[in-house]
Each structure stands twice: as structure tokens, then as C-alpha cells.
Amino acid sequence: MQIALNARILQAPRTGIGHYLAELVNALGHQPGVELSLFHGWGWSANLPEAAMPGYSRISPVLRQIPGAYQARRWLEQRRFDQGRARTIDLYHEPSLWPLAFKGPTIVTLHDLTHVHYPLTQPAARLKEIERRLEQGVKQASLILTDSQFIADEAQAYFGLGPERFVVAPLGMAARFHPRSDESLQPVLQAHGVEPRGYFLCVGTLEPRKNLTLALRAHAELPEPVRQQFPLLVVGMAGWKAQQLNDELRKGLASGHVCLLGYLPDEQVAQLMAGARALIFPSIYEGFGLPVLEAMASGTPVILTRRSAMPEVAGAAGNYFEPEDLHDLCNVMTRLVDDQTHWQVCREAGLQQAKLFSWDRCATLTARAYRQALGG
């Protein structure tokens, strides 16, 4: 099977969808009969590009102000797609938002419906294009891949499609997420002034739906000696309306018990994940929640809400709290500090839960969807 994958998103700093695509491409390389061609917006390649660092923008701020900039870029991409290797492929897989036009079978990965629930997370012009093109693309797709059953159910209701059009292919975790010895973690942890299992960790783009404000407030409610012994480290780049977090962040940073680390290289994130007392993932909407899986695979207990797809990922290994309940989150954090037996049980449960997920499994289900769409 000659498969075209739209890999343009890999030119941007890698967050959830970028990591999904990079890992999927690598895993599909081990699937028999699958040959990939990666379209990067202006041409084709057989190799993954290097990940960009923050500050990269696929459309410059100046171009965003030009009427029709998104449509013009889209038209140019479509032309490059049509003029290139698209003529020789059997199936086109669009892994992010809306697909380019293709006369053959098309598969779309729908990670979530964030643009429906949180439309202001997108620039206005981009949102308009999503709303104009996504529904048409989804309805024309031979099959729609989703990361979770929750999103499959939500998309069926929203688009009015039957369950036979959907294939759930849960995500996996990269090999860098695994338990590590305290000794191996020391260089990175010392650079950030923390000890193994001596800090809480938040990972994710800084934006309102991630609910980071609640984590900051809960940490601030802990007794002073606990905050001093277990500071809160925040990893992620600024997203939509990150300024809403300013007051809470300013208070935490001023206290010396919160450290904002920004966007870090993948290996550093993996080491911080393996060394944390717990991952706090207070998000109120996720199509999967990849950091939850990565933390469990690293031997780190997870604190999260029972919202959207996240219970599918954490299962019984999760330490759940109500997303609006400050004291509930405080209690969960306190128990993971005070009760070593409970902490160890959560660690072991998470390691077992993580074994249910892998990129090989995701690639196998994806390749099976390719064959199904091609009539195999």
C-alpha cells in the first residue's frame, strides 16, 4: 500500500498531535505492506523532519493579518500535493484537522473536538477554515480514526455518522518514558533544583482548558513545609489566553515553590516525568491525554479528572478529583505525599495500565484501517 501522510504539522514545535504523528510514522515503518510518503506542505519526503523549537510559526504574524492568508496557503499546498506524488498513492491519511482534496480513499484522524468546545483556542481565520472544511472532510472520509472511544462517540453524535465509520486506535508512549534510577536522574534534577520524587509536575500547553490555575491554587494551599519539600514544576509553552494564569503563576513564582520551565527537549521532559512524586493533569477536556500515559509508563502516579477520554487511559490507576474542587485536589496531593504505601500501589497500578498501550498497537490498528478503506 502506498500511503500519503500529511506531515506538515511536524514542522512546528511538537505538542500532542506532533508527537502522535512522529511516533506513528516510526511504528508504521514496521507494518508489512505499508509504504509511506510524507507531504510537508511544499513537497514530499521519506524522512521525518527535525522538531522545531518554540517561536516557529507556519504563518507569520504579518501574514495572519492579510485577508485570505489561510485560504491562499491552503490553495498552494493543494497545488503542491496534486503535482507531486499524490498521483501514485493508494490512500491519503490526514492526521490533523481537515484533509486536502484527494480522489482516492481518505482516512482522517480526529483527535478531539476542541474547536467546538473551545473555539477561541484557534485564530479567527483558522477557525473559520476549520468550520468550513472539517465537517465536509470527515463526512467524505472512508474511515475516521480516533484516539479514544469517547471522541468516537462524541464525533458520531456531532457529525451524525454511524459507528461503522470510526476506528479507535489508542495512542502509545515513546520508548524514552520508562522508570529510571535516582542516580541517572540526578544531572537533570539538580539543574532544576529538585530531588527524585521531591516535586509535583504539570506538563502541557498553558491554556484555560488545561485547568492549570486549579493546580497552582491547590499547591499554594498545601502547608509551607510540604510546598518547600515538594515544589511544583510546570513544563509547557504558552498557549491561548495564557495570560489568565499570570496572577497565580506570579504568586507561585514569588513564593519560590513554583518553577515555570517552559518548553523543554523531549529527553528532559521524560526524565522529569520519571522523577516526579506525581503528575498533576487537571485538564477538563482531552481526546486522550498523552502525558497521563507517559507518566504511568515512567512509574509516576497520576492525578487527573474524570473528564472526557482520560479515564480510558488511566483506568483504575488514576487518582481522580473533581475539576472544580480545590480541596479535593489538595487531599489527593497530600495523600500521595503522606501515604507511601498508597503511592507505591499507584505506581505499580500505573505501570500495569501502561502495558495496555503501545505505538505498535496503534500502528497495527491504523494499518488495518488502511486495508479496510482499500477494500482489503
Side-chain angles (χ1 to χ4, degrees), residues 318-347:
N319 293 272
Y320 296 99
F321 70 95
E322 291 300 318
E324 295 87 12
D325 194 329
L326 176 67
H327 297 294
D328 194 16
L329 176 52
C330 285
N331 290 337
V332 172
M333 294 169 68
T334 299
R335 187 179 184 192
L336 284 171
V337 167
D338 292 342
D339 190 338
Q340 182 62 28
T341 299
H342 173 66
W343 183 90
Q344 189 65 39
V345 167
C346 292
R347 169 186 166 87

Side-chain angles (χ1 to χ4, degrees), residues 104-348:
T106 297
I107 282 182
V108 172
T109 300
L110 187 63
H111 297 280
D112 54 50
L113 293 178
T114 300
H115 72 284
V116 175
H117 301 293
Y118 299 91
L120 294 181
T121 58
Q122 303 288 341
R126 181 175 171 81
L127 177 65
K128 184 177 180 180
E129 282 297 286
I130 294 172
E131 292 174 337
R132 187 164 72 91
R133 297 180 182 272
L134 178 60
E135 183 168 1
Q136 179 183 359
V138 165
K139 289 188 174 181
Q140 288 183 350
S142 304
L143 290 172
I144 300 112
L145 290 169
T146 64
D147 305 336
S148 62
Q149 188 62 52
F150 172 84
I151 295 300
D153 294 342
E154 189 177 52
Q156 288 168 34
Y158 181 77
F159 293 110
L161 299 174
E164 72 279 357
R165 296 283 300 282
F166 291 82
V167 173
V168 178
L171 310 187
M173 58 283 179
R176 63 182 175 273
F177 294 101
H178 58 83
R180 301 173 186 243
S181 68
D182 290 354
E183 292 75 17
S184 68
L185 295 173
Q186 284 296 343
V188 167
L189 299 193
Q190 286 180 357
H192 295 294
V194 292
E195 295 293 331
R197 304 302 175 188
Y199 58 95
F200 290 104
L201 182 67
C202 285
V203 174
T205 304
L206 309 185
E207 60 180 54
R209 74 180 172 96
K210 299 296 185 178
N211 205 22
L212 178 60
T213 298
L214 188 71
L216 292 165
R217 290 175 180 169
H219 188 264
E221 289 289 316
L222 298 175
E224 170 72 20
V226 176
R227 282 183 285 143
Q228 185 171 353
Q229 186 178 358
F230 296 93
L232 175 62
L233 272 55
V234 180
V235 175
M237 60 184 179
W240 168 67
K241 289 192 175 181
Q243 67 272 15
Q244 290 185 356
L245 305 172
N246 283 351
D247 287 344
E248 305 298 335
L249 276 175
R250 193 177 297 112
K251 292 175 186 176
L253 293 169
S255 73
H257 303 318
V258 174
C259 299
L260 184 60
L261 305 183
Y263 187 93
L264 295 178
D266 292 342
E267 179 59 22
Q268 283 195 40
V269 175
Q271 293 186 49
L272 289 170
M273 193 78 85
R277 186 69 179 182
L279 174 75
I280 306 175
F281 198 72
S283 179
I284 55 179
Y285 182 79
E286 296 289 331
F288 186 83
L290 199 51
V292 172
L293 177 58
E294 293 166 346
M296 293 190 301
S298 302
T300 296
V302 291
I303 301 171
L304 70 166
T305 67
R306 289 190 184 275
R307 292 290 181 91
S308 56
M310 289 177 286
E312 288 184 48
V313 181
N319 293 272
Y320 296 99
F321 70 95
E322 291 300 318
E324 295 87 12
D325 194 329
L326 176 67
H327 297 294
D328 194 16
L329 176 52
C330 285
N331 290 337
V332 172
M333 294 169 68
T334 299
R335 187 179 184 192
L336 284 171
V337 167
D338 292 342
D339 190 338
Q340 182 62 28
T341 299
H342 173 66
W343 183 90
Q344 189 65 39
V345 167
C346 292
R347 169 186 166 87
E348 295 301 325

